[in-house]
Amino acid sequence: IHGMWGGPWYWANYRGVLEARGYRCVATTLPYHDVSPPAPPDPRLGRTSLLDYAAALERDIRAMPEPPILMGHSLGGLLAQMLAARGLARAAVLLPQAELTPERLAAELRACCTDRALIVTRAERARSLARPDATHDVVEACLSLVRAS
């Protein structure tokens, strides 16, 4: 599950590693996040709550043949926790946003609400931070935790 400023492309490296090991991977797009970074955000995004996101993801999960292993980054990590708490996941892997305090989150949101170029910059930076070399290590650690549970 991707974070606030991302999309399913976050998971391209992870999907490659996990699918090569026989896992079926689904990278969803949160509601109203299906726009390119330079495009204006969908106006419905401002009226969408965490519960709306969780409900959409829950519908997708319930359509699956078995409970999935959820991976979530940032906002997606919070959603993965919510869904796991509802008993909808075999396991949850949470990749938090580093150094994100409530104060920093509030400041970032205020800045992004007033500066459209900042949103584009954040999305481009998120894409550039994808490290294919780190993917293998994260997947190994996640799989060992899932096997141990």
Side-chain angles (χ1 to χ4, degrees), residues 13 130-138:
N13 295 330
R131 288 185 38 221
D133 59 316
T135 302
H136 182 269
D137 295 339
V138 172

Side-chain angles (χ1 to χ4, degrees), residues 1 5 15 30 61 66 99 110 123 125 127 149:
I1 304 167
W5 310 113
R15 287 184 71 166
L30 292 174
I61 290 169
E66 61 186 351
E99 302 176 22
R110 276 192 300 276
R125 183 163 185 265
R127 281 198 176 112
S149 64

Side-chain angles (χ1 to χ4, degrees), residues 69-91:
I69 298 169
L70 297 175
M71 287 185 73
H73 171 256
S74 191
L75 170 68
L78 175 59
L79 291 165
Q81 284 180 320
M82 292 169 65
L83 295 163
R86 295 177 186 180
L88 296 169
R90 179 174 155 209

Side-chain angles (χ1 to χ4, degrees), residues 34-73:
D34 53 349
V35 297
S36 69
D42 187 307
R44 295 172 291 184
L45 190 61
R47 296 185 303 273
T48 305
S49 72
L50 285 174
L51 293 177
D52 295 327
Y53 290 137
L57 292 165
E58 183 171 342
R59 282 191 297 276
D60 292 344
I61 290 169
R62 289 195 183 279
M64 294 179 177
E66 61 186 351
I69 298 169
L70 297 175
M71 287 185 73
H73 171 256

